[in-house]
Amino acid sequence: MSPLALVLILVGLLIAATRAPFIFAPERTRSFYLSMMGTDRRMRSLGVLITVIGAVMVWAGAQEVGQLATIVYDFGLLILAIAAFMIALPAPTRRLATSAWGGFSAGVLRGLGLVALVFGLLVAAYGLSL
């Protein structure tokens, strides 16, 4: 199995696992995620974790040639840029995240959770087919 396939499987399962709770407990899940971003230190730690994910995506995308590899590579670069902002500017990033997450109703969070769950499982299934 190629590194690109492994990354797609892991990222797909990560998307599904982190967004599925929104279907069953949207308010509690939102509160948990917002608490993970509650301080500058937590925001920076989350940025470091996201940096690892983005770096792995860039590495896996660079290993192969093709449109899928380019998409994974470019998305990895986008994730690295977002993580850089989280690490360098945690307070403004936290305010942006808090206002974005706080603006959704429970019904919208459930819908987004369902869409993200299906998308994550499709990405993982596609990775398994490579």
Side-chain angles (χ1 to χ4, degrees), residues 2-93:
S2 72
L4 185 62
L6 288 172
V7 166
L8 284 175
I9 293 166
L10 291 175
V11 167
L13 291 176
L14 186 62
I15 290 169
T18 58
R19 298 303 181 249
F22 279 112
I23 299 170
F24 306 107
E27 296 292 336
R28 286 187 63 201
T29 305
R30 175 179 30 208
S31 295
F32 173 72
Y33 284 149
L34 290 176
S35 72
M36 287 176 53
M37 301 177 223
T39 64
D40 285 354
R41 184 176 184 179
R42 287 182 182 175
M43 197 66 163
R44 284 188 174 117
S45 298
L46 191 58
V48 169
L49 176 66
I50 292 171
T51 299
V52 171
I53 295 168
V56 170
M57 290 177 72
V58 167
W59 170 78
Q63 298 293 316
E64 295 187 26
V65 177
Q67 187 173 9
L68 180 62
T70 302
I71 291 169
V72 170
Y73 181 85
D74 291 344
F75 194 62
L77 289 178
L78 176 65
I79 289 174
L80 286 174
I82 291 168
F85 279 106
M86 291 173 74
I87 294 168
L89 303 167
T93 309

Side-chain angles (χ1 to χ4, degrees), residues 34 37 43 86 91-104:
L34 290 176
M37 301 177 223
M43 197 66 163
M86 291 173 74
T93 309
R94 183 176 53 258
R95 282 193 301 272
L96 176 66
T98 302
S99 67
W101 281 105
F104 295 118

Side-chain angles (χ1 to χ4, degrees), residues 101-123:
W101 281 105
F104 295 118
S105 68
V108 171
L109 288 174
R110 278 192 174 98
L112 290 173
L114 181 61
V115 169
L117 173 67
V118 170
F119 176 75
L121 292 176
L122 287 173
V123 168

